[in-house]
Amino acid sequence: MVDRPIDDLDRRILHALQHNSRKTAASDVAESADVSPRTVRNRIERLEEKGIIEGYGAQVNYEAAGYQLHTLIVCTAPIHEREEIARRALEVPGVVAVREVMTGAENVQVEVVGVDGNDLSRIGRELNEVGLEVVDEDLIRNEYEQPFHLFGPDATDVDAEGEGD
């Protein structure tokens, strides 16, 4: 069995927050889990303190906001500098997210929003200046997310051998 720092109530809270953190009320989670709202608020605070919940954010539809050039730029960075370069990439205006990828030469993904083609070219040049080699660029049409299935209220935990608790 894999030891995890969270229990069933924590997973239920995380599922609710991932589904819609803005409209998740401690009282709703408490009622569905048969605990007090105060317990849920304490658990959320503990999950934040442990770094399990790192923050809350809005999901933005850039096209609806008038920015059609929502782009994923796939890059390569030297492995020994990857983390530092990825963090510096966040300083480039237009960069909205950076992901480090653990395998392969294309080991950094940079999500950007540009106002026009010239802006995307500038972003590419500035990413190059911080040490990233741009390998590919893809326009993002839509993005879909959902809560992690093992955080759901009806999920059963699975250990390394694939057997439930």
Side-chain angles (χ1 to χ4, degrees):
M1 176 71 190
V2 177
D3 186 32
R4 293 194 179 80
I6 61 174
D7 63 15
D8 289 339
L9 177 56
D10 293 331
R11 283 190 281 277
R12 185 178 289 238
I13 291 167
L14 292 169
H15 187 269
L17 291 172
Q18 280 186 316
H19 179 71
N20 189 342
S21 62
R22 184 170 184 224
K23 293 184 179 179
T24 296
S27 58
D28 294 338
V29 177
E31 184 177 327
S32 72
D34 198 28
V35 297
S36 74
R38 183 73 190 141
T39 297
V40 172
R41 286 190 294 274
N42 288 341
R43 290 295 189 99
I44 291 171
E45 186 175 312
R46 188 188 71 167
L47 291 166
E48 291 170 345
E49 288 170 358
K50 286 178 137 183
I52 294 170
I53 296 176
E54 295 181 329
Y56 305 87
Q59 294 178 334
V60 177
N61 179 330
Y62 293 103
E63 186 174 356
Y67 299 96
Q68 283 75 29
L69 298 179
H70 184 198
T71 305
L72 179 66
I73 300 179
V74 179
C75 303
T76 298
I79 291 177
H80 64 283
E81 297 178 272
R82 177 179 52 210
E83 184 176 353
E84 178 187 340
I85 290 172
R87 290 181 188 279
R88 285 198 325 249
L90 283 172
E91 298 170 8
V92 174
V95 171
V96 296
V98 178
R99 294 172 197 87
E100 291 181 60
V101 180
M102 296 299 294
T103 59
E106 299 170 354
N107 58 8
V108 178
Q109 298 174 348
V110 183
E111 184 179 344
V112 307
V113 178
V115 296
D116 58 27
N118 290 334
D119 197 29
L120 287 180
S121 294
R122 175 200 53 81
I123 292 169
R125 284 191 306 276
E126 290 187 29
L127 290 174
N128 189 287
E129 290 170 9
V130 300
L132 290 171
E133 177 188 343
V134 174
V135 177
D136 196 13
E137 298 178 33
D138 298 303
L139 283 177
I140 298 171
R141 180 162 186 248
N142 292 307
E143 187 169 358
Y144 308 97
E145 292 185 8
Q146 68 179 8
F148 180 49
H149 72 285
L150 289 180
F151 290 165
D154 299 325
T156 56
D157 205 1
V158 178
D159 65 19
E161 286 79 41
E163 300 171 12
D165 285 339

